[in-house]
Amino acid sequence: ALYKFTRPHTIRGTILASFAGTTRALIDTPGAIATANWGALLPRAFIGMIALLLGNAFIVGINQIFDKDIDVLNKPFLPVASGEMSERVAWFAVLFSGIVGPAIVYNFFPMMLFKLYMLGWTLGMVYSVPPLRTKRNPLAAGLTIATVRGFLLNFGVYYAVKDAIGAPFGWSPKVSFIARFMTAFATVIAVTKDLPDIEGDKAYNISTLATKLGVSKIANGATVCLLLNYIHAILTGVLSKAGTFNVIPMVGGHAALAVMLLTRFKSLEPEKLASIKTYYKHIWDLFYLEYFLYTLI
């Protein structure tokens, strides 16, 4: 139950972002891999990963508590909605994650990272918790998810690794690219995540773009936005100064993912819930694959 409570697909995204950001920071710092004090760096990386996973658990956990009635309709497989996990246990998990995560960052990382962590923590909380409950507003919900998963996570991991190896932080073209790309991608996830939940959202008067516009329009718009994001990646690789990016993964890799996006979109049947869920899962698959490309570009 605890595993399902942490929403594994979001956990995978957090872990991949951590590994990719760490790899990128080490590659971008000349001599870092050869001279790194691995005895100190690896425990610090492990502690940072735990803090990120606790932050992830806090955000998705508190959402399940406050969305229990809606999830009974939309996501009956979730442990709180199904009764597999009691609300008491859920609250314990959320409070533990919400206290221990910030405590780890405060004690082991720079104050700037603690402030960024708490910004994400706060945005994640007000997304679900009344009276603000920003998930009720499509724009606020989209900005929240884009900020936390698109910008704060990727920037924070890279900054933390640079700090750990004693290297100054700098906005390299690759870091700037992934921050832009993943913020745009996370915005699309913020919109498409509501596609399988239309029935419950309507029943509980949750206003989303999906409830307002319907599955077909949202899926069409999301696919166009992702396609433009891939075109932006390809053009960035083509137009940048020679040597800035590795051309094959930057151009060829993103072109391949764009083809994959269009191929999977063509199989979408908007009137079938199973097909909608598959389409949304495919978007997450592309999200994961981007982190693999990030280590190569």
Side-chain angles (χ1 to χ4, degrees):
L2 184 61
Y3 176 69
K4 289 190 285 186
F5 184 69
T6 60
R7 304 307 306 276
H9 69 287
T10 65
I11 290 291
R12 285 192 291 271
T14 300
I15 292 174
L16 285 171
S18 299
F19 276 106
T22 298
T23 301
R24 185 76 268 156
L26 292 174
I27 293 173
D28 286 352
T29 308
I33 296 177
T35 61
N37 181 0
W38 294 105
L41 187 60
L42 290 178
R44 186 181 176 93
F46 178 76
I47 291 171
M49 175 76 77
I50 294 299
L52 288 174
L53 294 179
L54 288 172
N56 196 110
F58 171 75
I59 291 172
V60 300
I62 204 166
N63 176 257
Q64 289 174 67
I65 292 172
F66 283 92
D67 274 12
K68 178 181 178 180
D69 293 338
I70 303 174
D71 287 340
V72 168
L73 291 174
N74 289 340
K75 303 181 182 78
F77 56 87
L78 292 178
V80 176
S82 66
E84 185 180 357
M85 176 184 285
S86 69
E87 286 195 41
R88 182 178 179 180
V89 173
W91 270 114
F92 175 81
V94 165
L95 291 174
F96 178 85
S97 301
I99 294 172
V100 176
I104 290 173
V105 179
Y106 182 81
N107 283 284
F108 292 97
F109 294 93
M111 182 55 62
M112 178 180 177
L113 287 179
F114 175 71
K115 292 177 180 178
L116 291 175
Y117 188 94
M118 292 311 298
L119 174 60
W121 188 99
T122 303
L123 290 173
M125 179 183 67
V126 301
Y127 176 84
S128 300
V129 178
L132 293 179
R133 197 160 159 77
T134 54
K135 68 169 293 176
R136 293 180 296 192
N137 181 285
L139 178 60
L143 288 175
T144 296
I145 294 174
T147 300
V148 174
R149 189 159 287 281
F151 176 75
L152 292 178
L153 176 59
N154 296 294
F155 170 79
V157 169
Y158 190 88
Y159 185 96
V161 176
K162 283 285 193 175
D163 176 76
I165 61 179
F169 173 81
W171 281 102
S172 72
K174 294 169 184 177
V175 177
S176 299
F177 163 73
I178 201 66
R180 295 194 309 271
F181 187 93
M182 286 312 217
T183 299
F185 207 123
T187 303
V188 172
I189 288 178
V191 175
T192 55
K193 72 177 181 58
D194 298 316
L195 290 177
D197 300 340
I198 289 178
E199 180 183 348
D201 288 341
K202 285 183 177 178
Y204 284 88
N205 198 31
I206 299 293
S207 177
T208 68
L209 291 176
T211 59
K212 291 180 177 180
L213 301 177
V215 172
S216 292
K217 289 182 179 179
I218 292 299
N220 289 340
T223 302
V224 169
C225 288
L226 288 179
L227 183 61
L228 290 174
N229 208 23
Y230 284 125
I231 292 173
H232 142 256
I234 292 169
L235 290 177
T236 299
V238 171
L239 299 177
S240 295
K241 183 180 177 181
T244 302
F245 295 95
N246 293 322
V247 175
I248 292 178
M250 187 65 179
V251 177
H254 286 107
L257 293 185
V259 171
M260 187 182 300
L261 166 71
L262 294 176
T263 301
R264 290 175 168 180
F265 171 68
K266 289 180 180 179
S267 66
L268 172 65
E269 299 177 77
E271 69 282 355
K272 294 183 179 180
L273 182 59
S275 182
I276 295 171
K277 290 182 177 180
T278 299
Y279 170 77
Y280 179 58
K281 177 183 177 298
H282 286 164
I283 289 178
W284 272 97
D285 291 341
L286 292 170
F287 187 78
Y288 301 148
L289 288 170
E290 185 59 34
Y291 281 120
F292 173 70
L293 279 185
Y294 181 40
T295 64
L296 302 176
I297 62 173

